[in-house]
Amino acid sequence: MTDMIPFIDLKAQRARIRERIDIAVAKVLDEGRYVLGPEVSELEAKLADFAGIGRALSCANGTDAILIPLMAWGIGPGDAVFVPSFTFASTAEVVVLAGASPVFVDIDPDTYNMAPASLESAIARVKADGKLNPRAVIAVDLFGQPADYPALAPVAREHGLKLVSDCAQGFGCTLNGQSPLHWADVLTISFYPAKPLGAYGDGGAVLCKDDDLFDVMKSVRVHGEGATRYEYARIGLNSRLDTIQAAILLAKLDVFAGEIEARQRVADAYQAGFGNAVKCPRTIAGAQSTWAQYTIESGNRDAFRTHLADKGVPSAIYYPIPLHKHAPYAGFPVAPGGLPVTEAAADRVVSLPMHPDMPADHIDRVIDAVTGFVA
Ligand SMILES: *Cc1c(COP(=O)(O)O)cnc(C)c1O
């Protein structure tokens, strides 16, 4: 039995940046401002700098990061929010938590991101039915690549809908050099450890361009606080970021641009090595992905994954069952004609090892294992 190479190697990253992390954490412990300490506002400023646009508000996790703007906009019962089904649970879950109804939209077969045509027909269906009030679109930057914002944003604008970039996997991705926030009203991030910019625990952030929205979201983050403490202007959450996590993220942000480049090098090596043997990921023109996942397709997935495992190559399936097929979401509307592209992708996708510390011999092992199965 061959040893398994890592799928994501957080220990290698830890070794590479050990000293700067340990110093940053020790400083927080010594200073004793464990929640919303000075490192939290420093991180918020640096996140906005990194995005090159907007202001950042940190919060407890990437799920709250999407829920907070929905609450700030007053989205609730009777409202429709258009979401992909080929995504992590949070994207639709927050809509239900806010009291609104998710409406599931199909994806593009090459990028797995929301298909603008499916969005348009879903909006038309909801309007024709007249039961729900369309309020927002949540586009996901799946596997790290920006959704097709130049096509999605005009649709959202035409119908007066807010546009959210669920950038949990894609913070740092760009389209023609610009952050998704250039097109979206808000951009949300997850710092879950396995995400490209991961903390050593949970964390999240939401970026926006509008100062009034920022102030309302800031209030929502801490119990709906008003102008003074213990005065409440609205119903909110307890969704603060720990100072230790902010300090860790500040240290990681210093090396993050280099890590995105390192992930791109792995993706380039895979693409060159796989050639036409498998369907490689496709990015839209002008897109820079953060390569949260490197996802290919196989029509014979179980046998393919068994073959990879025999060669010491782990794999994962994101996502085996689209959200609209799970019991808690089965009652919500889907775009006219259903979600055939989503369902086909869920049966075929396989994600391969991907992280910035991947040594050349591990990359070669993945390439040999993948091309060996196809041969
Ligand atoms: C991880 C993820 C989230 C949620 O982030 P948490 O920090 O785990 O709450 C939301 N959306 C997508 C697409 C994700 O991948």
Side-chain angles (χ1 to χ4, degrees):
M1 180 65 204
T2 352
D3 278 354
M4 280 279 179
I5 64 167
F7 187 75
I8 292 177
D9 198 348
L10 292 174
K11 283 190 182 146
Q13 188 205 43
R14 165 79 179 123
R16 172 162 52 81
I17 57 175
R18 172 179 299 275
E19 204 180 345
R20 58 172 91 210
I21 297 274
D22 290 358
I23 291 170
V25 170
K27 183 167 175 284
V28 175
L29 296 183
D30 286 341
E31 286 176 354
R33 297 174 63 187
Y34 303 127
V35 168
L36 294 185
E39 284 80 1
V40 172
S41 13
E42 193 187 337
L43 174 69
E44 290 172 337
K46 292 226 167 116
L47 289 170
D49 280 353
F50 196 92
I53 183 171
R55 296 171 70 185
L57 183 79
S58 61
C59 60
N61 54 65
T63 305
D64 283 359
I66 324 172
L67 179 59
I68 287 170
L70 298 185
M71 291 174 73
W73 286 322
I75 289 176
D79 292 336
V81 177
F82 301 86
V83 297
S85 175
F86 195 55
T87 177
F88 185 64
S90 308
T91 314
E93 185 181 37
V94 291
V95 177
V96 183
L97 286 173
S101 170
V103 178
F104 292 106
V105 173
D106 213 359
I107 53 169
D108 176 273
D110 290 328
T111 65
Y112 311 119
N113 279 332
M114 185 181 274
S118 179
L119 173 63
E120 279 191 297
S121 61
I123 295 170
R125 164 75 64 88
V126 167
K127 287 195 163 173
D129 283 353
K131 291 191 205 101
L132 294 169
N133 182 24
R135 291 289 306 277
V137 179
I138 306 177
V140 175
D141 304 316
L142 199 73
F143 304 148
Q145 92 149 301
D148 189 357
Y149 292 102
L152 295 171
V155 178
R157 204 175 312 119
E158 181 192 334
H159 296 280
L161 310 180
K162 303 292 186 192
L163 180 58
V164 178
S165 158
D166 175 354
C167 206
Q169 305 176 10
F171 181 61
C173 76
T174 53
L175 194 52
N176 302 323
Q178 294 192 285
S179 160
L181 188 59
H182 177 74
W183 294 272
D185 294 287
V186 301
L187 177 150
T188 68
I189 317 174
S190 165
F191 301 125
Y192 181 76
K195 308 282 163 134
L197 181 58
Y200 288 163
D202 280 307
V206 48
L207 276 67
C208 74
K209 297 170 285 194
D210 182 294
D211 287 341
D212 293 334
L213 174 64
F214 186 90
D215 291 343
V216 178
M217 293 199 302
K218 194 169 176 186
S219 162
V220 170
R221 172 174 73 174
V222 184
H223 305 291
E225 248 174 31
T228 60
R229 208 166 180 194
Y230 305 120
E231 177 210 325
Y232 304 106
R234 54 185 57 78
I235 297 296
L237 304 168
N238 169 11
S239 188
R240 299 169 296 219
L241 182 68
D242 289 351
T243 311
I244 287 180
Q245 300 304 341
I248 290 164
L249 287 163
L250 278 167
K252 288 204 181 193
L253 197 55
D254 283 342
V255 299
F256 187 46
E259 291 187 339
I260 295 175
E261 285 167 21
R263 288 171 180 272
Q264 181 64 51
R265 284 195 293 276
V266 177
D268 291 343
Y270 277 168
Q271 168 116 37
F274 298 156
N276 293 322
V278 292
K279 184 183 175 191
C280 291
R282 293 186 199 145
T283 45
I284 54 173
Q288 172 64 57
S289 177
T290 58
W291 297 108
Q293 302 297 339
Y294 188 97
T295 303
I296 63 174
E297 293 189 15
S298 171
N300 192 5
R301 188 166 62 187
D302 291 345
F304 179 59
R305 296 188 70 206
T306 304
H307 168 87
L308 294 181
D310 284 346
K311 304 285 176 195
V313 173
S315 61
I317 300 176
Y318 305 109
Y319 296 91
I321 305 169
L323 292 183
H324 70 287
K325 295 277 191 188
H326 294 262
Y329 299 103
F332 295 110
V334 299
L339 308 180
V341 184
T342 295
E343 288 172 22
D347 286 341
R348 298 178 58 89
V349 288
V350 184
S351 298
L352 301 174
M354 166 58 78
H355 60 90
D357 296 284
M358 228 176 141
D361 61 311
H362 288 187
I363 297 174
D364 289 344
R365 270 174 74 179
V366 176
I367 293 171
D368 289 348
V370 169
T371 54
F373 179 80
V374 178

